[in-house]
């Protein structure tokens, strides 16, 4: 589907007009949006607009890294939006000049609907031109990153507050999933930040002072997003380290208990083994109270070892 929007030389807004009207050049500036285009519509990039073959190839081929290319009378931008469910990057291409903006995307970009509505409802933007539409489009794409990052951050904070021994393993599986989502977002934000840096420092992408301020604002948002993602990644790393420390502490406690039990029963097993050998010349076996004496000795040994372990501070390891 191709959607059109333009401001005529008489400062009137026209929407969804046929492309043939552009040949008469009645527009001060216009926006053509190739929204999930068909194969026939894709050919118009060449047959009608005559864009450079390399730029058209970037539109039609697999996912490109965000970038800015310069051509004779326009600039070609590749931006990325994020799928809210999979966090996978989706390519959005823009051909931008002072007189027009042509956007091309094979997946839905609801942010463009917001931009179109704003242009339709607020005539003060009509004089801003195609560069301002490009700013609005990129700005709304970048703003769409924030809810995803905030949502992950809220989940991590909730897990951190509720993390305990019982829910440790289950929670950590979720933490690793969130860490993977952060990695996908990071792979999109960093190239987008580089793209905005190139726009701001480009000598060929002409921006007047007021327009530059808008793109600086987008760049600031991307810096903030980068810091949030890095902070949350560090939080997941800290939670991972805590998870490993808690598991190690639990394992140490279990080993300590088994060591204490083994240490107590080793001498008791030795005594039981000695008197279980059934030699003939063992006078203790014929004593009337030998059974109770041996039990008493074993009990004394066990109690003495427990007291000694407590004195050495072994039981302090089990305190929370």
């Amino acid at each position: 589907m191709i959607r059109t929007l333009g401001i005529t030389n008489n400062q009137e807004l026209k929407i969804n007009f046929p492309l043939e009207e552009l040949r008469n050049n009645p527009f001060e500036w216009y926006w053509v949006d190739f929204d999930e285009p068909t194969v026939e519509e894709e050919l118009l990039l060449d047959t009608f607009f005559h864009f450079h073959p390399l730029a058209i190839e970037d539109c039609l081929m697999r996912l490109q890294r965000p970038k800015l290319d310069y051509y004779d009378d326009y600039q070609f931008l590749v931006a990325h939006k994020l799928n809210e469910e999979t966090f996978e990057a989706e390519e959005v291409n823009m051909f931008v000049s002072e007189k027009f903006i042509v956007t091309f995307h094979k997946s839905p970009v609801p942010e463009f609907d917001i931009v179109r509505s704003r242009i339709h409802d607020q005539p003060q933007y009509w004089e801003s031109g195609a560069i301002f539409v490009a700013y609005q489009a990129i700005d709304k794409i970048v703003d769409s990153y924030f809810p995803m990052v905030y949502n992950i951050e809220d989940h991590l904070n909730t897990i951190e507050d509720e993390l305990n021994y019982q829910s440790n393993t289950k929670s950590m599986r979720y933490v690793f999933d969130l860490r993977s989502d952060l990695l996908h977002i990071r792979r999109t934000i960093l190239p987008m930040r580089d793209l905005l840096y190139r726009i701001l420092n480009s000598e060929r992408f002409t921006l007047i002072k007021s327009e530059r301020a808008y793109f600086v604002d987008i760049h600031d948002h991307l810096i903030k997003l980068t810091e949030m993602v890095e902070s949350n990644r560090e939080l997941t790393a800290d939670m991972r380290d805590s998870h490993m420390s808690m598991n190690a502490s639990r394992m140490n406690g279990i080993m300590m208990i088994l060591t204490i039990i083994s240490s107590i029963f080793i001498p008791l097993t030795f005594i039981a083994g000695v008197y279980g050998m059934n030699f003939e010349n063992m006078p203790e076996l014929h004593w009337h109270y030998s059974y109770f004496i041996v039990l008493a000795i074993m009990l004394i040994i066990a109690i003495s070892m427990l007291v000694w372990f407590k004195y050495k501070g072994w039981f302090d390891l089990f305190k929370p």
Side-chain angles (χ1 to χ4, degrees), residues 43-98:
L43 295 176
L44 294 175
L45 293 175
D46 180 28
T47 58
F48 185 87
F49 291 101
H50 307 293
F51 290 134
H52 196 281
L54 291 178
I56 297 175
E57 182 181 358
D58 286 339
C59 290
L60 301 180
M61 299 298 289
R62 59 188 179 87
L63 191 66
Q64 301 290 321
R65 181 181 176 86
K67 65 176 182 176
L68 171 62
D69 291 336
Y70 305 103
Y71 296 97
D72 292 338
D73 55 352
Y74 61 89
Q75 287 80 38
F76 174 66
L77 290 82
V78 177
H80 283 179
K81 71 178 294 294
L82 283 171
N83 187 296
E84 295 181 359
E85 297 181 357
T86 64
F87 296 97
E88 294 291 341
E90 297 174 350
E91 185 174 329
V92 179
N93 305 282
M94 301 181 188
F95 300 86
V96 183
S97 75
E98 294 182 357

Side-chain angles (χ1 to χ4, degrees), residues 138 192-200 215 218-219 222:
I138 298 175
M192 286 292 291
R193 187 184 66 181
D194 294 340
L195 170 63
L196 265 296
Y197 181 82
R198 287 198 61 190
I199 291 175
L200 292 173
F215 284 92
I218 300 177
H219 187 255
L222 288 167

Side-chain angles (χ1 to χ4, degrees), residues 268-280:
L268 305 185
T269 304
F270 172 75
I271 295 173
V274 168
Y275 290 104
M277 291 188 291
N278 297 322
F279 289 124
E280 290 291 337

